[in-house]
């Protein structure tokens, strides 16, 4: 069992690196084949964004696809020395009319990639029932369709945040474990009951670093309460609504009034304290499971507490972006390769074997996934929780500035500095400025 190569929260820090170059780049390169010949020899360039064992797995799958289709040669490589560098390299490739057929991309880049006018629209192909498009979570499907018009690729990796609870802390406090029907009021009451100042034990933990960790843990509160991140046209911030203020005020009451939240300035210490039986609950993702198993922490996982039965979570899907090389044969085989890779049989040997959540809901009942779930308790709950990933984080290029603005506001309010209404209003103004610059 292995941890993923990168945590999702870091992906948004890399967004926007090459926005200008992506938007200003010219037309695609020389024209290739214009009439489809599925038997013609083609070479597909695939940038995986992976390294080490993950890269080795994908190279093996690429070789298998070549055996199935002898006319197809796959030029597979990581594409760059790190995943974060792929956007910059893609931008340079667009400017020089030399870019891959397929590239791993953080979901945050989706809008920028579409605006480059280099992406391949596969909307027509995925309408075929054979693609099983509905088996991907709503958030994953939305991420590869950033403007709601074109579908620019396939989901590559999915995750979500769920509620982790430390059974040792709960047992010591005599508090019943969370259930899938938990409301936010029940969650707050439990956090307060679990908090023991004398032993420096807290009921819950929240990041106040102001990073994307701070921001994305707030989005489920906002969505469950009926709020939105952006306006319908995605040009202005919408989170400073009554729903947003109520959601942040709820957290403020827990942090300031109840003093039941451990406020983490580092983004990482809260998980260590949870593993050490000092924090009763935290919201996190599948990357946390291996560490907890190693620490021998007695924990459980369930869906996030909800409002009126709404248990929405937040997901940060990554994608396999497809690019139009103006060669219909290459475009055809790029789609076929990704259709094959993301099918259940191959995904079980890729994402599931590597320790990620399965891309498709149909994989949850397979022996392969059940074996992984048995090794890492909570993995199955997280896979099922993808059904609650019905909203996608925005992929607009101004999201980085928006995230910084609201992340700073949340951090201040949870530390007792200002009101939720004032902080979100100020953050929305800053977010609008960031959105207008992009």
């Amino acid at each position: 069992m292995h941890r993923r190569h990168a945590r999702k929260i870091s992906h948004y820090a890399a967004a926007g690196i090459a926005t200008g170059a992506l938007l200003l780049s010219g037309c695609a390169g020389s024209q290739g084949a214009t009439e489809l010949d599925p038997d013609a020899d083609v070479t597909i360039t695939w940038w995986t964004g992976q390294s080490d064992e993950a890269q080795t797995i994908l190279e093996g799958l690429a070789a298998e696809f070549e055996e199935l289709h002898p006319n197809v040669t796959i030029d597979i490589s990581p594409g760059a020395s790190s995943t974060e560098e792929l956007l910059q390299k893609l931008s340079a490739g667009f400017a020089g009319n030399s870019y891959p057929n397929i590239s791993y991309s953080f979901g945050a880049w989706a809008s920028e990639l579409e605006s480059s006018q280099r992406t391949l629209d596969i909307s027509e192909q995925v309408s075929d029932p054979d693609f099983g498009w509905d088996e991907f979570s709503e958030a994953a499907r939305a991420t590869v369709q950033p403007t709601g018009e074109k579908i620019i690729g396939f989901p590559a990796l999915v995750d979500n945040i769920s509620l982790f609870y430390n059974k040792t802390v709960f047992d010591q406090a005599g508090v019943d474990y969370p259930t899938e029907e938990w409301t936010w009021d029940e969650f707050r009451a439990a956090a307060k009951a679990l908090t023991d100042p004398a032993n420096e034990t807290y009921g819950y933990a929240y990041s106040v670093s102001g990073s994307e960790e701070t921001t994305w843990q707030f989005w489920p509160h906002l969505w469950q309460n009926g709020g939105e991140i952006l306006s319908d046209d995605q040009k202005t911030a919408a989170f400073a609504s009554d729903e947003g203020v109520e959601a942040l005020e709820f957290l403020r009451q827990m942090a300031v009034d109840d003093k039941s939240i451990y406020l983490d300035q580092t983004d990482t210490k809260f998980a260590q304290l949870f593993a050490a039986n000092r924090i009763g609950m935290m919201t996190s993702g599948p990357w946390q499971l291996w560490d907890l198993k190693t620490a021998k922490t007695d924990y459980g996982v369930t869906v996030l507490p909800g409002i009126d039965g709404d248990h929405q979570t937040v997901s940060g899907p990554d994608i396999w972006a497809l690019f139009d090389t103006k060669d219909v044969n290459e475009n055809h085989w790029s789609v076929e390769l990704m259709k094959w890779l993301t099918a259940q049989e191959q995904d079980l040997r890729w994402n599931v074997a590597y320790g990620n959540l399965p891309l498709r809901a149909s994989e949850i009942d397979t022996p392969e996934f059940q074996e992984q779930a048995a090794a890492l308790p909570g993995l199955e709950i997280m896979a099922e929780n993808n059904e609650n990933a019905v909203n996608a984080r925005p992929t607009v290029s101004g999201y980085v500035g928006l995230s910084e603005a609201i992340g700073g506001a949340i951090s201040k309010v949870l530390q007792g500095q200002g009101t939720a209404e004032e902080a979100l209003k100020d953050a929305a103004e800053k977010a609008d400025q960031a959105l207008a610059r992009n």
Side-chain angles (χ1 to χ4, degrees):
M1 180 62 61
H2 304 274
R3 295 181 67 190
R4 296 183 308 175
H5 71 281
R7 288 187 64 185
K8 305 297 298 187
I9 57 173
S10 67
H11 298 178
Y12 282 81
I17 292 174
T19 305
L22 284 173
L23 293 175
L24 296 175
S25 56
C27 298
S30 57
Q31 185 76 46
T34 58
E35 293 186 10
L36 178 62
D37 179 2
D39 297 322
D41 290 338
V42 297
T43 297
I44 302 300
T45 301
W46 179 14
W47 292 355
T48 66
Q50 309 298 315
S51 61
D52 302 326
E53 184 179 350
Q55 177 67 15
T56 300
I57 294 173
L58 289 178
E59 287 175 355
L61 289 168
E64 184 176 334
F65 189 84
E66 289 176 328
E67 291 180 5
L68 294 170
H69 307 282
N71 63 309
V72 179
T73 299
I74 302 174
D75 180 6
I76 181 172
S77 71
S81 58
S82 70
T83 312
E84 287 77 5
E85 295 177 10
L86 282 176
L87 182 63
Q88 192 169 17
K89 190 169 180 181
L90 284 169
S91 173
F94 295 159
N97 292 318
S98 177
Y99 47 91
N101 301 92
I102 307 163
S103 178
Y104 190 93
S105 301
F106 292 151
W109 304 345
S111 291
E112 294 179 49
L113 293 176
E114 182 177 346
S115 68
S116 74
Q117 299 181 356
R118 293 302 208 284
T119 53
L120 187 65
D121 182 9
I122 61 170
S123 302
E124 183 177 349
Q125 290 96 318
V126 303
S127 64
D128 185 337
D130 288 345
F131 278 76
W133 199 247
D134 290 342
E135 290 186 8
F136 298 119
S137 70
E138 290 187 48
R141 298 198 305 269
T143 302
V144 294
Q145 194 174 16
T147 64
E149 297 177 2
K150 302 176 181 178
I151 296 177
I152 65 169
F154 287 76
L157 183 150
V158 296
D159 64 7
N160 63 72
I161 58 173
S162 303
L163 183 70
F164 287 68
Y165 54 97
N166 186 305
K167 294 182 179 180
T168 299
V169 177
F170 270 77
D171 291 345
Q172 290 175 345
V175 178
D176 292 337
Y177 298 156
T179 71
E180 293 183 354
E181 289 78 33
W182 248 25
T183 66
W184 283 107
D185 288 339
E186 290 173 308
F187 163 70
R188 179 183 176 183
K192 190 173 182 178
L194 294 168
T195 300
D196 183 355
N199 294 318
E200 296 184 328
T201 301
Y202 292 84
Y204 184 53
Y206 202 101
S207 165
V208 290
S209 68
S211 70
E212 177 65 13
E213 178 77 57
T214 302
T215 300
W216 88 320
Q217 295 210 17
F218 179 71
W219 294 147
H221 294 259
L222 177 69
W223 288 331
Q224 290 182 11
N225 204 38
E228 298 290 344
I229 300 173
L230 293 174
S231 58
D232 290 341
D233 62 8
Q234 297 195 319
K235 293 182 178 180
T236 58
F239 55 72
S241 60
D242 291 344
E243 292 83 0
V245 171
E246 289 176 1
L248 184 53
E249 172 61 17
F250 175 84
L251 289 172
R252 188 205 67 78
Q253 290 172 0
M254 289 183 65
V256 179
D257 299 343
D258 300 348
K259 294 181 172 54
S260 63
I261 299 181
Y262 174 78
L263 301 175
D264 187 3
Q265 302 280 354
T266 70
D267 288 348
T268 58
K269 192 174 181 180
F270 73 90
Q272 298 168 0
L273 292 173
F274 179 93
N277 304 326
R278 296 274 300 283
I279 291 174
M281 295 178 287
M282 66 177 178
T283 45
S284 192
W287 53 87
Q288 211 70 255
L289 296 172
W290 181 251
D291 287 346
L292 293 176
K293 179 179 180 179
T294 302
K296 295 181 170 55
T297 305
D298 190 9
Y299 70 92
V301 178
T302 188
V303 300
L304 297 181
I307 297 175
D308 296 330
D310 185 339
H311 295 272
Q312 280 190 69
T313 185
V314 61
S315 178
D318 290 342
I319 70 174
W320 295 116
L322 302 180
F323 300 102
D324 185 359
T325 60
K326 304 303 179 183
D327 184 307
V328 296
N329 293 327
E330 290 184 12
N331 292 347
H332 168 78
W333 283 110
S334 294
V335 175
E336 289 300 307
L337 173 58
M338 289 298 103
K339 175 186 176 183
W340 180 83
L341 180 71
T342 59
Q344 181 187 109
E345 181 181 352
Q346 283 66 246
D347 193 55
L348 288 170
R349 292 184 288 147
W350 160 228
N351 272 310
V352 171
Y354 192 62
N356 297 325
L357 294 182
L359 289 179
R360 297 176 180 272
S362 58
E363 297 172 47
I364 294 176
D365 294 329
T366 63
E368 294 88 344
F369 179 72
Q370 289 299 317
E371 182 179 352
Q372 291 284 49
L376 290 179
L379 191 66
E380 184 172 8
I381 297 296
M382 290 186 171
E384 294 172 348
N385 195 30
N386 275 334
E387 294 182 358
N388 290 313
V390 298
N391 274 305
R393 285 185 293 177
T395 63
V396 294
S397 54
Y399 180 85
V400 173
L402 179 150
S403 176
E404 291 173 351
I406 190 172
I410 294 167
S411 298
K412 289 179 180 178
V413 170
L414 296 193
Q415 295 176 89
Q417 303 169 22
T419 68
E421 183 175 8
E422 293 171 347
L424 289 184
K425 180 180 178 181
D426 180 62
E429 292 175 357
K430 294 177 181 177
D432 287 347
Q433 293 173 6
L435 294 165
R437 287 194 296 268
N438 293 276

